[in-house]
Amino acid sequence: MDVTAELEDYRHSLIRFRYEQRYINDRLDTLITEEQLNEYYTAHLDEFKLSRPVLKVRFLNILKDSPYLAQIVDAMSVEEEGRVPEADTLGAAYALKYYDRSETWTDAAQLALLFGVDASRMLSALKDNLIIIEPEDRGDVMVAYVCDIQREGTAPLEYVEDRIRDIIISNRKHKLLKSLEQDLLTDALERKNFVIYQQ
């Protein structure tokens, strides 16, 4: 079979793609200010509705018989100055797993994976800002201290910030490509250097 025409089409597509990429890379403004993030977020609140709760937590997985269990849970469950570093230090030394995500929103389904249960079961175990789950036939216990939770409504800006950045950058790329096409068309019309294809 003669594939010359297909190869030529592919070559043209590849040249066009590389040219567009180079054009975008040379001109794309990737700096996004806090003001631009807030502006986009405020103008598109309906796009950021939560499908599941999001939480800020400190998570601990430790052996049930650990002599440090109560001390770590106590230290990680308060906002008192100095106690959280104590929990961090003890957790790093004596826990099977410990992390502090009290400054970052986490999807409930993601957190539930750490507990090995689904999000609804995990959330039903939430009492007095603590989620405690003891897996059967294992010697460990998992504890999360919930610093903050938002169950429904519009997602917090911090939670969707990366998504908004991607959207803004994507929109800028699209505008650059449209302006490239328009510039090339205008140039071709001015030079009378174009071909009209009819079907």
Side-chain angles (χ1 to χ4, degrees), residues 52-108:
R52 283 184 299 271
V54 291
L55 308 93
K56 290 183 177 182
V57 299
R58 294 187 190 102
F59 177 83
L60 170 70
N61 183 6
I62 193 168
L63 294 174
K64 290 179 199 174
D65 59 2
S66 170
Y68 298 97
L69 171 58
Q71 188 179 352
I72 298 172
V73 171
D74 183 51
M76 71 187 242
S77 302
V78 294
E79 300 301 326
E80 187 182 310
E81 195 75 27
R83 294 303 308 276
V84 174
E86 177 190 345
D88 294 346
T89 302
L90 290 171
Y94 302 107
L96 300 171
K97 186 176 212 165
Y98 176 85
Y99 72 78
D100 184 348
R101 294 246 174 92
S102 57
E103 301 296 320
T104 309
W105 290 103
T106 302
D107 185 297

Side-chain angles (χ1 to χ4, degrees), residues 108-126:
Q110 252 184 326
L111 182 61
L113 289 174
L114 293 173
F115 283 100
V117 297
D118 63 33
S120 60
R121 178 164 172 224
M122 178 194 72
L123 290 169
S124 69
L126 174 60

Side-chain angles (χ1 to χ4, degrees), residues 171-182:
N171 288 343
R172 288 178 183 175
K173 283 181 183 177
H174 182 70
K175 283 180 184 172
L176 275 173
L177 285 176
K178 290 302 273 181
S179 91
L180 170 63
E181 289 172 9
Q182 189 59 51

